[in-house]
Amino acid sequence: MPDARHYPFTAIVGLDQLKLALILNAVSPRTGGVLIRGEKGTAKSTIVRALSALLPPVAVVPGCRFSCDPAAPEPACPDGPHGPRPDASVRPARLAELPVGASEDRLVGSLDLERALTEGVKSFEPGLLAAAHRGVLYVDEVNLLHDHLVDLLLDAAALGTCYVERDAVSVRHPARFLLVGTMNPEEGELRPQLLDRFGLTVEVAASRDPGERAEVVRRRLSFEDDPEGFAARWTAEEQALAARIAEARGRLRDVALSDAALRQIATVCAAFGVDGMRADLITAHAAVAHAAWRGGTEVTAEDVRAAARLALPHRRRRDPFDAPGLDESELDELLDNSKPDPDPDTDPDGGADSAGNGQADSAENGQADSAENGQADTTTSGTGDGEAGGAGKGQAATSTARPGEPYRVRALTVPGLGTGSPGRRSRARTPYGRVSGSRTPVGRLTSPHLTATLRAAAPHQRERGRTGPGLVVRPGDLREAVREGREGNLVLFAVDASGSMAARRRMEAVKGAVLSLLLDAYQRRDKVGLVTFRGSAAELVLPPTSSVEAGAARLRSLPTGGRTPLAEGLRRAAEVLRVERLRDPSRRPLLVVVTDGRVTSGATADVDRAAALLRGVTSVVVDCESGPVRLGLAVRLAGRLGGEAVRLEELAADGLRELVHERRKAA
């Protein structure tokens, strides 16, 4: 009977692709896990927790905390040696859940504090990686996982082994698990390294069919009223599905992956431009699992298609702002074209026709591209001067420039030592950072430093009358860990979108610079916000959020033109930062003002008063002024804000080095 605490897998309505991805991993753990992306309230966590009841049971060595396989026990198991033929017991597969706020000790394990203090014995206490071995490791909201945990997870997933070197403990144990993560893309994206570790990915969304939605609610209410009775009604279907998974796993070795099927996989992966060879391997494993699942003995084009739909979308992204996806019509065409021709002489004109069609398509695409580029150029530069020309009297001309190509920007940080959420921008003291030392606790002890505590207590054991095992520890011996890492900041962009910024195609470079800064914020786990000002007012285009993709989308569609209300832009930025300070007081802000410094709406005194509201906020003014004659208005604005001025061409990390080199060479 299914566990009544979990909603039955077969009772979940819809989500066919997600079910298939999880089943393929249950059939073949080599498939590499599943990343489930989707909006909130779409049963992502429910279906993952239901999976554990369907997994085949695991044979383990009795008493081994690391789930060693009796058929091939780990020689270096910390609970070993187990001998060549140890006893065996069978238990259900485990589902270990990794909370977003877990510590390193909880993930990899640590010294058993209780035994060390009471018995004086150095003993290792396993973590979640040991519990997940030969089972499932589930990370809810995996995109919010702290970087130091991601690093440990990546090491274990890549090596299949967990190495623990800490607190006088040196342990190595196997950690091979099925990694399943769920996330809401609105809350930010994954690091590319972790994204690539997930074998398959599925996008889920709530059904728009009223009948299906009603059935979802009906079943959920029935489960909440009587969990055990509801689970009992689905017992037969659950057992049948579990039996089919076990049979498919048994057939896995008998499924043939022919050279033709392997060539199809290689053709598809190469055509979609995925990085590295992991996509080919994962697609091959998934295709074999799919063939075993449907009861086949050989991988077919349909198996390859099903595997590619799940294994390739998240590997096609060329940068973090690209949404994952796959053109299924293109996939079908690739699979059809990669099929071996049984008789190449039956259609002697086929090659010529194919080549002719290819040339026609190429020419047609070239004309479309030229037309598109021409139209884009006209749109970008049609009203370049904004205030000066291109519009009738009394009207403000507007245009929408496309951003330039993003590039790696120089590091912008908030000085000092913060206490905000873990990230990768500014130095901070966080409960999740690396241990940099120890200290006597002030107030309540929250993060004990075991080694330092034992070291403080050890010299006093004789005078305290210790006679047996264990240490006599007094309150004055306690030490807490001092951890230092990096924090994520609130990066608020205040972008000048007036007509002067649109002159001479400058806005294209400005948008490219802001897009590069957004990419940098994504990589450093920041929250971002976007304020724009033009005409006579300022607008909060993007309220502070962790979804950097939303900021990139708003930036691309940002129009330019009109006057420059600089004071209004600064006031709006100050108001946004004031509200965010109340919501999240520990997250330090970084204000990035992108402007040429001109003021054509309002008085200079208004700018001074608005700048005074931002005193104390770390500010960077990106000077967008161009031309041989510079007025230095943006530099003066930086002085008013008490911040730093950076010329637009100095923003690129590589460009800054080149500029310094040129200046030294000229001197």
Side-chain angles (χ1 to χ4, degrees):
M1 176 178 170
D3 189 345
R5 294 172 298 176
H6 296 329
Y7 198 89
F9 189 91
T10 52
I12 296 173
V13 178
L15 304 181
D16 295 335
Q17 279 294 100
L18 175 54
K19 289 180 179 179
L20 177 61
L22 292 171
I23 287 172
L24 293 183
N25 274 274
V27 171
S28 174
R30 292 183 177 181
T31 305
V34 185
L35 173 64
I36 308 169
R37 298 164 48 93
E39 57 195 18
K40 50 188 176 293
T42 49
K44 299 188 297 293
S45 301
T46 301
I47 197 169
V48 174
R49 294 189 176 100
L51 175 67
S52 60
L54 303 177
L55 297 177
V58 178
V60 297
V61 175
C64 178
R65 298 173 297 168
F66 302 90
S67 303
C68 278
D69 186 353
E74 183 69 23
C77 176
D79 284 352
H82 298 303
R85 293 185 178 180
D87 295 334
S89 63
V90 178
R91 63 161 176 77
R94 288 176 180 163
L95 175 73
E97 296 194 35
L98 173 61
V100 171
S103 65
E104 293 181 31
D105 292 346
R106 185 72 187 98
L107 179 61
V108 301
S110 64
L111 186 65
D112 190 332
L113 180 60
E114 181 178 355
R115 293 194 66 187
L117 294 178
T118 59
E119 303 176 25
V121 176
K122 185 173 71 173
S123 176
F124 177 69
E125 183 176 4
L128 288 172
L129 291 180
H133 178 51
R134 304 178 67 199
V136 180
L137 180 63
Y138 170 47
V139 188
D140 192 14
E141 305 293 350
V142 64
N143 52 322
L144 304 181
L145 197 65
H146 302 305
D147 276 353
H148 67 289
L149 296 181
V150 171
D151 294 337
L152 295 170
L153 201 56
L154 286 172
D155 288 342
L159 302 174
T161 304
C162 177
Y163 292 89
V164 186
E165 301 286 346
R166 55 192 303 145
D167 294 336
V169 173
S170 179
V171 171
R172 183 188 72 179
H173 67 81
R176 292 180 291 275
F177 47 82
L178 176 62
L179 180 61
V180 180
T182 56
M183 60 173 284
N184 184 349
E186 295 178 355
E187 298 172 339
E189 280 290 349
L190 277 180
R191 280 173 53 182
Q193 298 94 329
L194 184 56
L195 181 66
D196 191 51
R197 281 293 166 190
F198 286 97
L200 311 179
T201 185
V202 180
E203 293 275 346
V204 296
S207 172
R208 298 296 179 249
D209 178 25
E212 192 169 294
R213 294 173 72 96
E215 183 61 23
V216 170
V217 175
R218 187 179 297 112
R219 292 186 184 183
R220 184 68 197 187
L221 293 176
S222 178
F223 173 76
E224 292 174 355
D225 290 340
D226 182 12
E228 293 185 2
F230 183 84
R233 290 195 293 273
W234 293 91
T235 299
E237 292 189 35
E238 291 281 288
Q239 291 176 345
L241 181 58
R244 186 180 172 188
I245 290 174
E247 291 172 2
R249 183 178 284 194
R251 283 195 301 268
L252 203 60
R253 293 182 179 273
D254 299 328
V255 175
L257 179 62
S258 64
D259 289 342
L262 189 56
R263 187 169 184 82
Q264 282 185 322
I265 292 172
T267 299
V268 168
C269 292
F272 281 121
V274 297
D275 294 329
M277 297 298 298
R278 183 174 286 120
D280 303 63
L281 290 169
I282 295 299
T283 306
H285 285 308
V288 171
H290 189 269
W293 168 247
R294 64 175 177 80
T297 58
E298 185 175 359
V299 173
T300 65
E302 185 57 33
D303 298 320
V304 175
R305 183 182 187 278
R309 291 179 64 193
L310 297 170
L312 300 186
H314 61 301
R315 293 186 167 87
R316 292 198 64 205
R317 292 158 47 115
R318 309 313 300 171
D319 65 63
F321 303 136
D322 291 338
L326 200 67
D327 187 342
E328 295 196 17
S329 61
E330 184 181 356
L331 175 61
D332 291 336
E333 183 179 352
L334 288 168
L335 290 175
D336 289 339
N337 292 340
S338 61
K339 289 180 180 178
D341 190 352
D343 189 0
D345 296 330
T346 56
D347 186 11
D349 297 329
D353 291 342
S354 176
N357 291 337
Q359 293 174 359
D361 291 344
S362 176
E364 184 177 352
N365 291 338
Q367 293 173 1
D369 291 343
S370 299
E372 182 180 351
N373 292 338
Q375 182 180 2
D377 291 344
T378 301
T379 303
T380 303
S381 59
T383 54
D385 294 334
E387 296 167 359
K393 293 182 179 180
Q395 296 180 349
T398 61
S399 62
T400 304
R402 293 185 301 182
E405 287 296 320
Y407 47 83
R408 189 168 64 89
V409 298
R410 56 179 291 191
L412 303 177
T413 61
V414 179
L417 195 64
T419 57
S421 301
R424 303 182 67 190
R425 182 171 296 278
S426 306
R427 293 178 59 231
R429 183 167 292 150
T430 72
Y432 308 109
R434 304 290 182 185
V435 176
S436 59
S438 63
R439 66 182 178 188
T440 302
V442 178
R444 182 181 177 185
L445 178 64
T446 57
S447 178
H449 193 297
L450 178 59
T451 305
T453 298
L454 297 179
R455 191 181 297 119
H460 308 290
Q461 296 306 297
R462 180 175 296 179
E463 63 188 68
R464 292 175 182 175
R466 173 189 170 189
T467 57
L471 294 177
V472 180
V473 180
R474 301 282 171 81
D477 301 326
L478 296 178
R479 299 291 185 270
E480 69 177 0
V482 176
R483 300 177 183 269
E484 184 175 317
R486 294 277 172 175
E487 67 177 357
N489 298 111
L490 167 60
V491 182
L492 180 63
F493 296 94
V495 180
D496 184 351
S498 64
S500 63
M501 295 288 288
R504 293 182 296 277
R505 301 176 63 90
R506 192 186 314 165
M507 199 61 192
E508 183 176 335
V510 169
K511 284 190 174 183
V514 178
L515 191 65
S516 302
L517 290 166
L518 281 169
L519 177 60
D520 181 66
Y522 159 79
Q523 294 170 338
R524 297 180 187 275
R525 308 294 292 272
D526 295 316
K527 290 181 68 174
V528 296
L530 179 61
V531 171
T532 64
F533 50 96
R534 69 185 187 94
S536 60
E539 179 185 2
L540 178 60
V541 176
L542 179 71
T545 176
S546 297
S547 178
V548 179
E549 292 81 359
R554 303 289 173 85
L555 178 70
R556 291 187 178 102
S557 60
L558 177 67
T560 58
R563 295 184 176 274
T564 311
L566 180 56
E568 289 300 318
L570 297 179
R571 287 196 194 97
R572 192 74 178 96
E575 176 62 20
V576 171
L577 294 179
R578 184 189 68 80
V579 173
E580 285 301 308
R581 193 177 297 115
L582 297 176
R583 292 177 178 172
D584 190 357
S586 64
R587 188 181 288 271
R588 297 189 294 168
L590 172 63
L591 176 64
V592 180
V593 184
V594 184
T595 182
D596 58 6
R598 295 186 182 183
V599 181
T600 59
S601 178
T604 304
D606 294 336
V607 177
D608 291 336
R609 285 191 288 269
L613 299 175
L614 292 164
R615 279 287 181 176
V617 176
T618 302
S619 303
V620 176
V621 178
V622 179
D623 184 2
C624 300
E625 193 174 17
S626 60
V629 179
R630 292 177 177 266
L631 303 178
L633 300 176
V635 178
R636 297 180 198 173
L637 175 62
R640 295 171 183 169
L641 294 172
E644 176 188 6
V646 178
R647 287 166 56 179
L648 187 62
E649 56 268 28
E650 296 177 352
L651 197 59
D654 297 334
L656 180 62
R657 287 195 293 268
E658 293 174 3
L659 188 65
V660 171
H661 177 71
E662 290 176 2
R663 288 179 177 175
R664 288 177 178 174
K665 189 175 180 180

Coordinates of all heavy atoms in Angstrom, one line a residue, residues 213-269:
R213 N -9.0 20.8 -14.2 CA -8.7 21.5 -13.0 C -9.7 21.1 -11.9 O -9.3 21.0 -10.7 CB -8.8 23.0 -13.2 CG -7.7 23.6 -14.2 CD -8.0 25.0 -14.5 NE -7.7 25.9 -13.4 CZ -6.6 26.6 -13.2 NH1 -5.6 26.4 -14.0 NH2 -6.4 27.3 -12.1
A214 N -10.9 20.9 -12.3 CA -11.9 20.5 -11.3 C -11.6 19.1 -10.7 O -11.7 18.8 -9.5 CB -13.3 20.5 -11.9
E215 N -11.1 18.2 -11.6 CA -10.7 16.9 -11.1 C -9.5 16.9 -10.2 O -9.4 16.2 -9.2 CB -10.4 16.0 -12.3 CG -10.0 14.5 -12.0 CD -11.2 13.8 -11.3 OE1 -12.4 14.2 -11.4 OE2 -10.9 12.8 -10.6
V216 N -8.6 17.8 -10.4 CA -7.4 18.0 -9.5 C -7.9 18.4 -8.2 O -7.5 17.8 -7.1 CB -6.5 19.1 -10.1 CG1 -5.4 19.4 -9.1 CG2 -5.8 18.6 -11.4
V217 N -8.8 19.4 -8.1 CA -9.3 19.8 -6.8 C -10.1 18.7 -6.1 O -10.0 18.5 -4.9 CB -10.2 21.1 -7.0 CG1 -10.8 21.5 -5.7 CG2 -9.3 22.2 -7.5
R218 N -10.9 18.0 -6.9 CA -11.7 16.9 -6.3 C -10.9 15.9 -5.7 O -11.1 15.4 -4.5 CB -12.6 16.3 -7.4 CG -13.6 15.3 -6.9 CD -14.5 14.8 -8.1 NE -15.2 15.8 -8.7 CZ -15.0 16.3 -9.9 NH1 -14.0 15.7 -10.7 NH2 -15.8 17.2 -10.4
R219 N -9.8 15.5 -6.3 CA -8.9 14.4 -5.8 C -8.2 14.9 -4.6 O -8.0 14.2 -3.6 CB -8.0 13.9 -6.8 CG -8.7 13.2 -8.0 CD -7.6 12.6 -8.9 NE -8.3 11.9 -10.1 CZ -7.6 11.2 -11.0 NH1 -6.3 11.1 -11.0 NH2 -8.3 10.7 -12.0
R220 N -7.7 16.2 -4.6 CA -6.9 16.7 -3.5 C -7.8 16.8 -2.2 O -7.3 16.5 -1.1 CB -6.4 18.1 -3.9 CG -5.5 18.7 -2.8 CD -4.2 17.9 -2.7 NE -3.5 18.2 -1.4 CZ -2.3 17.7 -1.1 NH1 -1.7 17.0 -1.9 NH2 -1.8 18.0 0.1
L221 N -9.0 17.3 -2.4 CA -9.9 17.4 -1.2 C -10.2 16.0 -0.7 O -10.3 15.8 0.6 CB -11.3 18.0 -1.6 CG -11.2 19.5 -2.0 CD1 -12.5 20.0 -2.5 CD2 -10.6 20.3 -0.9
S222 N -10.4 15.0 -1.5 CA -10.6 13.6 -1.1 C -9.4 13.1 -0.3 O -9.5 12.4 0.7 CB -10.9 12.7 -2.3 OG -11.0 11.4 -1.9
F223 N -8.2 13.4 -0.8 CA -6.9 13.0 -0.1 C -6.8 13.7 1.3 O -6.5 13.0 2.3 CB -5.7 13.4 -0.9 CG -4.4 13.2 -0.3 CD1 -3.9 11.9 -0.1 CD2 -3.7 14.2 0.2 CE1 -2.7 11.7 0.5 CE2 -2.5 14.0 0.8 CZ -1.9 12.8 1.0
E224 N -7.2 15.0 1.4 CA -7.1 15.7 2.6 C -8.1 15.2 3.7 O -7.8 15.1 4.9 CB -7.3 17.2 2.4 CG -6.1 17.8 1.6 CD -6.4 19.3 1.3 OE1 -7.6 19.7 1.6 OE2 -5.6 20.0 0.7
D225 N -9.3 14.7 3.2 CA -10.3 14.2 4.1 C -9.9 12.8 4.7 O -10.1 12.6 5.9 CB -11.6 14.1 3.4 CG -12.2 15.5 3.1 OD1 -11.8 16.5 3.8 OD2 -13.1 15.6 2.2
D226 N -9.3 12.0 3.9 CA -9.0 10.6 4.3 C -7.7 10.1 3.5 O -7.9 9.4 2.5 CB -10.2 9.7 4.0 CG -9.9 8.3 4.5 OD1 -8.9 8.0 5.3 OD2 -10.7 7.3 4.1
P227 N -6.5 10.5 4.0 CA -5.3 10.1 3.3 C -5.1 8.6 3.1 O -4.8 8.2 2.0 CB -4.2 10.7 4.1 CG -4.8 11.8 4.9 CD -6.2 11.4 5.1
E228 N -5.4 7.8 4.1 CA -5.2 6.4 4.0 C -6.2 5.8 3.1 O -5.9 4.9 2.3 CB -5.3 5.8 5.4 CG -4.2 6.2 6.4 CD -4.2 5.4 7.7 OE1 -5.1 4.6 7.8 OE2 -3.4 5.7 8.5
G229 N -7.5 6.2 3.2 CA -8.5 5.6 2.3 C -8.2 6.0 0.8 O -8.4 5.2 -0.1
F230 N -7.8 7.3 0.6 CA -7.5 7.7 -0.7 C -6.3 6.9 -1.3 O -6.4 6.5 -2.5 CB -7.2 9.2 -0.7 CG -6.9 9.8 -2.1 CD1 -8.0 10.2 -2.9 CD2 -5.7 9.9 -2.6 CE1 -7.8 10.7 -4.2 CE2 -5.4 10.4 -3.9 CZ -6.5 10.8 -4.6
A231 N -5.3 6.7 -0.5 CA -4.1 5.9 -1.0 C -4.5 4.5 -1.3 O -4.0 3.9 -2.3 CB -3.0 6.0 0.0
A232 N -5.4 3.9 -0.5 CA -5.8 2.5 -0.7 C -6.5 2.4 -2.0 O -6.4 1.3 -2.7 CB -6.7 2.1 0.5
R233 N -7.3 3.4 -2.4 CA -8.0 3.3 -3.7 C -7.1 3.2 -4.9 O -7.5 2.8 -6.0 CB -9.0 4.4 -3.8 CG -10.2 4.4 -2.9 CD -11.3 5.3 -3.3 NE -10.9 6.7 -3.1 CZ -11.1 7.4 -2.0 NH1 -11.5 6.8 -0.9 NH2 -10.7 8.7 -2.0
W234 N -5.9 3.7 -4.7 CA -4.9 3.7 -5.8 C -3.8 2.7 -5.7 O -2.9 2.7 -6.4 CB -4.3 5.1 -5.9 CG -5.2 6.2 -6.3 CD1 -6.0 7.0 -5.5 CD2 -5.6 6.6 -7.6 NE1 -6.8 7.8 -6.2 CE2 -6.6 7.6 -7.5 CE3 -5.2 6.2 -8.9 CZ2 -7.1 8.2 -8.7 CZ3 -5.8 6.8 -10.0 CH2 -6.7 7.8 -9.9
T235 N -4.0 1.8 -4.7 CA -3.0 0.8 -4.4 C -2.7 -0.1 -5.7 O -1.5 -0.3 -6.0 CB -3.4 -0.1 -3.2 OG1 -3.5 0.7 -2.1 CG2 -2.3 -1.2 -3.0
A236 N -3.7 -0.6 -6.3 CA -3.5 -1.5 -7.4 C -2.8 -0.8 -8.6 O -1.8 -1.4 -9.1 CB -4.9 -2.0 -7.9
E237 N -3.1 0.4 -8.9 CA -2.4 1.1 -10.0 C -1.0 1.4 -9.6 O -0.1 1.3 -10.4 CB -3.2 2.4 -10.4 CG -4.5 2.1 -11.0 CD -5.1 3.4 -11.6 OE1 -4.4 4.3 -12.0 OE2 -6.4 3.5 -11.5
E238 N -0.8 1.8 -8.3 CA 0.6 2.1 -7.9 C 1.5 0.8 -8.0 O 2.6 0.9 -8.4 CB 0.6 2.6 -6.4 CG 0.0 4.0 -6.3 CD 1.0 5.1 -6.6 OE1 1.9 5.3 -5.9 OE2 0.8 5.7 -7.7
Q239 N 0.9 -0.3 -7.5 CA 1.7 -1.6 -7.6 C 2.0 -2.0 -9.0 O 3.1 -2.5 -9.3 CB 1.0 -2.6 -6.8 CG 0.9 -2.4 -5.3 CD 0.1 -3.5 -4.6 OE1 -0.7 -4.2 -5.2 NE2 0.2 -3.5 -3.3
A240 N 1.0 -1.8 -9.9 CA 1.2 -2.2 -11.3 C 2.3 -1.3 -11.9 O 3.1 -1.8 -12.7 CB -0.1 -2.0 -12.0
L241 N 2.3 0.0 -11.6 CA 3.3 0.9 -12.2 C 4.7 0.5 -11.6 O 5.7 0.5 -12.3 CB 2.9 2.3 -11.8 CG 3.9 3.4 -12.4 CD1 4.0 3.3 -13.9 CD2 3.4 4.8 -12.0
A242 N 4.8 0.3 -10.3 CA 6.0 -0.1 -9.7 C 6.6 -1.4 -10.3 O 7.8 -1.5 -10.6 CB 5.9 -0.3 -8.2
A243 N 5.7 -2.4 -10.6 CA 6.1 -3.6 -11.2 C 6.6 -3.4 -12.6 O 7.6 -4.0 -13.0 CB 4.9 -4.6 -11.2
R244 N 5.9 -2.5 -13.4 CA 6.4 -2.2 -14.7 C 7.7 -1.6 -14.7 O 8.6 -1.8 -15.6 CB 5.3 -1.3 -15.4 CG 5.7 -1.1 -16.9 CD 4.6 -0.2 -17.6 NE 5.1 0.1 -18.9 CZ 4.5 1.0 -19.7 NH1 3.4 1.6 -19.3 NH2 4.9 1.2 -20.9
I245 N 8.0 -0.7 -13.8 CA 9.3 0.0 -13.7 C 10.4 -1.0 -13.4 O 11.5 -1.0 -13.9 CB 9.3 1.1 -12.6 CG1 8.4 2.3 -13.0 CG2 10.7 1.6 -12.2 CD1 8.2 3.3 -12.0
A246 N 10.1 -2.0 -12.4 CA 11.1 -3.0 -12.1 C 11.3 -3.9 -13.3 O 12.5 -4.3 -13.6 CB 10.5 -3.8 -10.9
E247 N 10.3 -4.3 -14.1 CA 10.5 -5.1 -15.3 C 11.3 -4.3 -16.3 O 12.2 -4.9 -17.0 CB 9.1 -5.5 -15.9 CG 8.3 -6.4 -15.0 CD 6.9 -6.6 -15.5 OE1 6.6 -6.0 -16.6 OE2 6.1 -7.4 -14.9
A248 N 11.1 -3.1 -16.5 CA 11.8 -2.3 -17.5 C 13.3 -2.2 -17.0 O 14.2 -2.2 -17.9 CB 11.2 -0.9 -17.6
R249 N 13.5 -2.0 -15.7 CA 14.9 -2.0 -15.3 C 15.6 -3.3 -15.5 O 16.8 -3.3 -15.9 CB 14.9 -1.6 -13.8 CG 16.3 -1.5 -13.2 CD 16.4 -1.1 -11.8 NE 16.1 0.3 -11.6 CZ 16.3 1.0 -10.4 NH1 16.8 0.3 -9.4 NH2 15.9 2.3 -10.3
G250 N 14.9 -4.4 -15.4 CA 15.5 -5.7 -15.7 C 15.8 -5.9 -17.2 O 16.7 -6.7 -17.5
R251 N 15.0 -5.2 -18.0 CA 15.2 -5.4 -19.5 C 16.3 -4.4 -20.0 O 16.7 -4.5 -21.2 CB 13.9 -5.1 -20.2 CG 12.9 -6.2 -20.2 CD 11.8 -5.9 -21.3 NE 11.1 -4.7 -21.1 CZ 10.0 -4.6 -20.4 NH1 9.5 -5.6 -19.8 NH2 9.4 -3.4 -20.3
L252 N 16.8 -3.5 -19.2 CA 17.6 -2.5 -19.7 C 18.9 -3.0 -20.4 O 19.2 -2.5 -21.4 CB 18.0 -1.6 -18.5 CG 18.4 -0.2 -18.7 CD1 17.3 0.6 -19.4 CD2 18.8 0.5 -17.4
R253 N 19.5 -4.0 -19.8 CA 20.7 -4.5 -20.4 C 20.5 -5.2 -21.8 O 21.4 -5.4 -22.6 CB 21.4 -5.5 -19.5 CG 22.0 -4.8 -18.2 CD 22.7 -5.9 -17.3 NE 23.2 -5.3 -16.1 CZ 24.4 -4.7 -16.1 NH1 25.2 -4.7 -17.2 NH2 24.9 -4.1 -15.0
D254 N 19.3 -5.6 -22.1 CA 19.0 -6.3 -23.3 C 18.6 -5.4 -24.4 O 18.4 -5.8 -25.6 CB 17.8 -7.3 -23.1 CG 18.2 -8.4 -22.0 OD1 19.4 -8.7 -21.9 OD2 17.3 -8.8 -21.3
V255 N 18.5 -4.1 -24.2 CA 18.1 -3.1 -25.2 C 19.3 -2.8 -26.0 O 20.4 -2.4 -25.5 CB 17.5 -1.8 -24.6 CG1 17.2 -0.8 -25.7 CG2 16.2 -2.2 -23.9
A256 N 19.2 -2.9 -27.3 CA 20.3 -2.6 -28.2 C 20.3 -1.2 -28.7 O 19.2 -0.7 -29.2 CB 20.3 -3.6 -29.4
L257 N 21.4 -0.5 -28.6 CA 21.6 0.8 -29.2 C 22.4 0.7 -30.5 O 23.6 0.6 -30.4 CB 22.3 1.8 -28.2 CG 22.5 3.2 -28.6 CD1 21.2 3.9 -28.9 CD2 23.3 4.0 -27.5
S258 N 21.7 0.7 -31.6 CA 22.4 0.5 -32.9 C 23.3 1.7 -33.3 O 23.1 2.8 -32.7 CB 21.4 0.2 -34.0 OG 20.6 1.3 -34.2
D259 N 24.2 1.5 -34.2 CA 25.0 2.6 -34.7 C 24.1 3.6 -35.4 O 24.4 4.8 -35.3 CB 26.0 2.0 -35.7 CG 27.1 1.2 -35.1 OD1 27.3 1.4 -33.8 OD2 27.8 0.5 -35.7
A260 N 23.1 3.2 -36.1 CA 22.2 4.2 -36.7 C 21.5 5.1 -35.7 O 21.4 6.3 -35.9 CB 21.1 3.4 -37.5
A261 N 21.0 4.5 -34.6 CA 20.3 5.3 -33.5 C 21.4 6.2 -32.8 O 21.0 7.3 -32.5 CB 19.7 4.3 -32.5
L262 N 22.6 5.7 -32.6 CA 23.6 6.5 -32.0 C 24.0 7.7 -32.9 O 24.2 8.8 -32.5 CB 24.8 5.7 -31.7 CG 25.9 6.3 -30.9 CD1 25.4 6.8 -29.6 CD2 27.1 5.3 -30.7
R263 N 24.0 7.4 -34.2 CA 24.3 8.5 -35.2 C 23.1 9.6 -35.2 O 23.4 10.8 -35.3 CB 24.5 8.0 -36.6 CG 24.9 9.0 -37.6 CD 25.4 8.4 -38.9 NE 25.9 9.5 -39.7 CZ 27.2 9.9 -39.7 NH1 28.0 9.5 -38.8 NH2 27.6 10.9 -40.5
Q264 N 21.9 9.1 -35.0 CA 20.8 10.0 -34.9 C 20.9 10.9 -33.7 O 20.7 12.1 -33.7 CB 19.5 9.3 -34.8 CG 18.9 8.7 -36.1 CD 17.6 8.1 -35.9 OE1 17.3 7.4 -34.9 NE2 16.7 8.3 -36.9
I265 N 21.3 10.3 -32.6 CA 21.5 11.1 -31.3 C 22.6 12.1 -31.5 O 22.5 13.3 -31.2 CB 21.9 10.1 -30.2 CG1 20.7 9.3 -29.8 CG2 22.4 10.9 -28.9 CD1 21.0 8.2 -28.8
A266 N 23.8 11.7 -32.1 CA 24.9 12.6 -32.3 C 24.5 13.8 -33.3 O 24.8 14.9 -33.1 CB 26.1 11.9 -32.9
T267 N 23.7 13.4 -34.3 CA 23.2 14.4 -35.3 C 22.4 15.5 -34.6 O 22.5 16.7 -34.9 CB 22.5 13.7 -36.5 OG1 23.3 12.8 -37.1 CG2 22.0 14.8 -37.5
V268 N 21.4 15.0 -33.8 CA 20.5 15.9 -33.1 C 21.3 16.9 -32.2 O 21.1 18.1 -32.2 CB 19.4 15.2 -32.4 CG1 18.6 16.1 -31.5 CG2 18.5 14.5 -33.4
C269 N 22.2 16.3 -31.4 CA 22.9 17.1 -30.4 C 23.8 18.1 -31.1 O 23.9 19.2 -30.7 CB 23.7 16.2 -29.5 SG 22.7 15.1 -28.4

